[in-house]
């Protein structure tokens, strides 16, 4: 299957700082990328959908000014958690859909964010 | 997208077939059934998907009932590495490719 790579896999940051997470499709072009977050022992919750070259669409209750998403190319999307607080500590996961009509999405390995 | 119902957890002996059920009684005609799994602290992994017909690939088989109100994911020879949370997701066709994850089934494969 297609490979999606997230970086970093783990990050610890101080409260009040910003953290950027990268999501790359390594061997395919991704028209659409999705960002999820997952709290311990909970399921994945969709945060936003990003399409290359346009603004992201955020799910209800997700602060777009806090979680900045940029999808500048067909192989890269970034999620920036701004002014991070301890409650933003979570497992963040991206997924990418192949351009050209494929229906399955492929997921990155996730990024564990800890805000201290 | 239609809601799905899965058992919270299941156990299976190593080497035996694991049959994971999923109910999706409100599924509509253009909605697909997808299965993903998530091994602890990793991103979800695509397994298989189908619309009406049964499907098989190198990982698993998907059996969809004729009325499409339920389906079963079959892992023919479960191994310890198949221990994971398995998610059954119903997704509409068209341009909305969002996947909505429920709570899934924790499958534990025992030696």
């Amino acid at each position: 299957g297609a490979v999606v790579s997230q970086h970093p896999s783990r990050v610890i940051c101080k409260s009040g700082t910003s953290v950027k997470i990268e999501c790359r499709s390594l061997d395919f072009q991704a028209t659409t990328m999705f960002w999820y977050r997952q709290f311990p022992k909970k399921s994945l919750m969709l945060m936003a959908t990003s399409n290359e070259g346009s603004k992201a669409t955020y799910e209800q209750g997700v602060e777009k000014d806090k979680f900045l998403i940029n999808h500048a190319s067909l192989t890269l999307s970034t999620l920036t958690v701004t002014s991070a607080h301890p409650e933003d500590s979570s497992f963040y996961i991206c997924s990418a859909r192949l351009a050209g009509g494929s229906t399955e999405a492929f997921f990155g390995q996730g990024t564990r964010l800890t805000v201290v | 997208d239609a809601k799905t119902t899965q058992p919270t957890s299941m156990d299976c002996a190593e080497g035996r077939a694991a049959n994971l059920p999923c109910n999706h009684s409100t599924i509509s005609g253009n909605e697909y059934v997808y299965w993903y799994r998530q091994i602890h602290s990793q991103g979800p992994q695509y397994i298989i998907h189908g619309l009406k017909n049964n499907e098989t690939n190198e990982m698993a088989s998907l059996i969809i009932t004729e009325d499409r109100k339920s389906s079963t994911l079959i892992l023919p020879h479960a191994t310890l590495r198949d221990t994971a949370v398995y998610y059954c997701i119903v997704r509409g066709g068209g341009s909305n490719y969002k996947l909505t994850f429920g709570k899934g089934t924790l499958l534990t494969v025992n030696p």
Side-chain angles (χ1 to χ4, degrees), chain A residues 62-82:
Chain A
V62 177
E63 300 175 58
K64 57 184 176 183
D65 293 332
K66 181 167 186 61
F67 299 100
L68 301 179
I69 291 171
N70 185 290
H71 191 162
S73 76
L74 285 171
T75 59
L76 174 64
S77 177
T78 60
L79 168 68
T80 302
V81 183
T82 63

Side-chain angles (χ1 to χ4, degrees), chain B residues 28-40:
Chain B
S28 59
N30 66 345
E31 291 183 315
Y32 289 78
V33 179
Y34 281 79
W35 284 84
Y36 282 80
R37 72 179 181 184
Q38 186 178 26
I39 296 169
H40 182 64

Side-chain angles (χ1 to χ4, degrees), chain B:
Chain B
D1 295 335
K3 183 179 176 181
T4 61
T5 304
Q6 297 177 254
T8 303
S9 63
M10 293 182 65
D11 283 275
C12 175
E14 188 178 17
R16 305 297 294 266
N19 297 287
L20 292 94
C22 179
N23 287 322
H24 29 79
S25 58
T26 59
I27 193 170
S28 59
N30 66 345
E31 291 183 315
Y32 289 78
V33 179
Y34 281 79
W35 284 84
Y36 282 80
R37 72 179 181 184
Q38 186 178 26
I39 296 169
H40 182 64
S41 294
Q42 296 182 24
Q45 177 188 21
Y46 167 81
I47 301 173
I48 199 167
H49 75 280
L51 182 63
K52 286 191 278 191
N53 299 323
N54 297 337
E55 302 288 344
T56 295
N57 63 21
E58 64 277 5
M59 287 184 69
S61 295
L62 174 60
I63 309 297
I64 302 174
T65 58
E66 194 167 338
D67 63 8
R68 303 209 322 125
K69 292 185 177 182
S70 66
S71 60
T72 301
L73 179 74
I74 301 172
L75 307 179
H77 306 286
T79 70
L80 299 180
R81 288 180 297 178
D82 292 323
T83 293
V85 178
Y86 287 76
Y87 296 99
C88 169
I89 301 167
V90 169
R91 186 186 67 73
S95 60
N96 180 0
Y97 291 94
K98 294 195 297 186
L99 296 173
T100 302
F101 286 78
K103 297 182 180 178
T105 296
L106 172 60
L107 173 68
T108 303
V109 181
N110 300 305

